[in-house]
């Protein structure tokens, strides 16, 4: 596997280029939004389809892998929520703060990082985390947010919306089609894998560029203290707990263990901020923590890969 730093640094160099494009007004907000939509609706699904359709599917699922990542994520969720309640005394914001502390940016950064580092061996592990993260963590956060409003009908509608958005997302559809092609060994016309391969190759430059430009064009305001705490939860506590569970409790093999710890060290995902904004809960601290965690994540990702034994 190439040195992880050789894969991480170009991602953040691309973010710096995107930031420059935003600061110098080469791109507008509308342009960046369009680029982001291209990433989520075309580039990410294409890369997932190509990788999953060609992946060597394991004979059995490494349940310890999923438990290591998500038990630690839930623990961080609880730590963040309790800490926020103790400091702010605003229980309505527990869902947003808890989610920000454990929701990883798997789609834009994790997928190209894992596939670049591990090749086809990383396709199934990263697919599992990407597919399950929103249904699990967003559902828990939605239940907490809607429970605070004490409206059962609104809660049911919100949960239905979460699952509908997950099932109809282009990424999940691409994974499903890719699995079908892989399992049943469908023979596709050469133009299909060639086209999806070309589109998928654009994920890394386009997503990194868009993230950097969005930071330059967006307005980030919030208290530094809470943002630092959220950043530490995401970049330090989450990977540390995952490392303990993956290597010392479940004893999962490589490359699964290395991927679990590295994915836990990713920065906060944009979905966590969108959740905060949609529910009008702690947008400032979450937005600032998203920025801080992204800037600091090259260090956390590199250290996570090192300690995971890669």
């Amino acid at each position: 596997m190439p040195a992880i730093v050789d894969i991480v640094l170009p991602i953040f160099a691309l973010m710096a280029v995107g930031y420059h494009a935003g600061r110098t007004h080469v791109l507008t907000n509308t342009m960046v939004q369009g680029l982001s939509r291209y990433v989520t609706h075309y580039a990410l699904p294409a890369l997932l389809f190509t990788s999953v359709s060609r992946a060597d599917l394991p004979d059995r699922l490494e349940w310890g892998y999923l438990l290591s990542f998500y038990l630690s994520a839930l623990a961080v969720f609880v730590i963040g929520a309790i800490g926020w309640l103790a400091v702010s005394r605003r229980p309505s914001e527990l869902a947003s703060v808890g989610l920000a502390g454990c929701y990883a940016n798997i789609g834009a950064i994790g997928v190209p990082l894992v596939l670049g580092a591990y090749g086809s061996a990383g396709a199934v592990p990263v697919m599992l985390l990407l597919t399950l993260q929103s249904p699990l963590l967003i559902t828990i956060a939605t239940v907490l947010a809607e429970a605070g409003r004490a409206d059962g009908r609104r809660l049911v509608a919100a949960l239905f919306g979460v699952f509908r958005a997950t099932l109809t997302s282009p990424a999940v559809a691409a994974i499903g089609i890719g699995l079908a092609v892989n399992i049943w060994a469908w023979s596709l016309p050469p133009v299909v894998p060639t086209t999806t391969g070309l589109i998928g190759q654009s994920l890394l430059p386009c997503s990194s560029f868009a993230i950097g430009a969005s930071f330059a064009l967006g307005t980030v305001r919030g208290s530094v203290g809470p943002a630092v705490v959220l950043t530490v939860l995401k970049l330090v506590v989450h990977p540390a707990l995952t490392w303990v569970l993956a290597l010392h409790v479940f004893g999962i093999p490589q490359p699964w263990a290395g991927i679990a710890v590295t994915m836990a060290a990713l920065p906060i995902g944009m979905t966590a901020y969108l959740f905060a904004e949609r529910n009008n809960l702690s947008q400032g601290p979450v937005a600032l923590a998203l920025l801080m965690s992204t800037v600091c994540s090259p260090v956390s990702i590199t250290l996570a890969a090192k300690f995971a034994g890669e």
Side-chain angles (χ1 to χ4, degrees):
M1 186 190 85
I4 196 74
V5 70
D6 294 337
I7 300 171
V8 172
L9 290 184
I11 294 176
F12 292 90
L14 285 166
M15 288 184 188
V17 176
Y19 183 86
H20 177 269
R23 290 290 294 179
T24 56
H25 305 291
V26 173
L27 295 183
T28 65
N29 268 313
T30 302
M31 293 176 181
V32 175
Q33 290 170 5
L35 184 59
S36 298
R37 285 182 176 271
Y38 166 76
V39 166
T40 56
H41 285 76
Y42 295 98
L44 177 59
L47 183 60
L48 288 170
F49 168 79
T50 302
S51 302
V52 172
S53 64
R54 299 173 178 175
D56 294 327
L57 300 180
D59 295 329
R60 64 183 182 87
L61 183 63
E62 290 288 346
W63 288 103
Y65 168 77
L66 294 176
L67 291 173
S68 298
F69 185 88
Y70 284 114
L71 286 178
S72 60
L74 293 175
V76 170
F77 194 117
V78 172
I79 293 170
I82 292 177
W84 185 259
L85 180 61
V87 173
S88 70
R89 305 294 181 181
R90 296 195 296 271
S92 62
E93 298 177 347
L94 297 184
S96 178
V97 173
L99 182 66
C102 65
Y103 196 95
N105 193 341
I106 298 176
I109 298 178
V111 170
L113 177 66
V114 167
L115 295 179
Y118 297 91
S120 60
V124 172
V126 77
M127 171 200 73
L128 289 171
L129 294 186
L130 180 68
T131 304
L132 295 176
Q133 182 171 232
S134 286
L136 177 61
L137 300 180
I138 296 295
T139 297
I140 293 172
T142 300
V143 169
L144 288 175
E146 298 299 336
R149 297 184 173 99
D151 188 339
R153 290 172 298 179
R154 183 180 177 124
L155 173 59
V156 172
L159 291 177
F160 178 76
V162 170
F163 285 106
R164 182 179 60 184
T166 300
L167 293 176
T168 58
S169 72
V172 172
I175 290 171
I177 298 171
L179 282 174
V181 171
N182 191 318
I183 293 171
W184 286 294
W186 291 346
S187 179
L188 299 175
V191 66
V192 175
T194 300
T195 303
T196 56
L198 289 172
I199 297 173
Q201 290 173 15
S202 68
L203 173 62
L204 177 59
C206 289
S207 62
S208 303
F209 194 89
I211 291 172
S214 66
F215 286 149
L217 294 169
T219 300
V220 179
R221 294 192 181 96
S223 300
V224 174
V228 170
V229 172
L230 287 176
T231 300
V232 171
L233 285 174
K234 184 67 205 71
L235 300 186
V236 179
V237 180
H238 189 190
L241 291 178
T242 304
W243 177 78
V244 171
L245 292 175
L247 275 73
H248 301 286
V249 175
F250 297 110
I252 61 177
Q254 298 291 358
W256 296 77
I259 293 174
V261 178
T262 304
M263 293 299 94
L266 291 172
I268 298 170
M270 185 63 71
T271 300
Y273 171 71
L274 295 177
F275 178 89
E277 186 177 45
R278 183 171 62 250
N279 291 278
N280 194 27
L281 299 171
S282 302
Q283 303 98 307
V286 173
L288 187 55
L290 190 153
L291 174 59
M292 293 173 63
S293 66
T294 302
V295 171
C296 297
S297 60
V299 176
S300 67
I301 293 169
T302 303
L303 290 176
K306 178 180 175 62
F307 279 101
E310 290 305 305

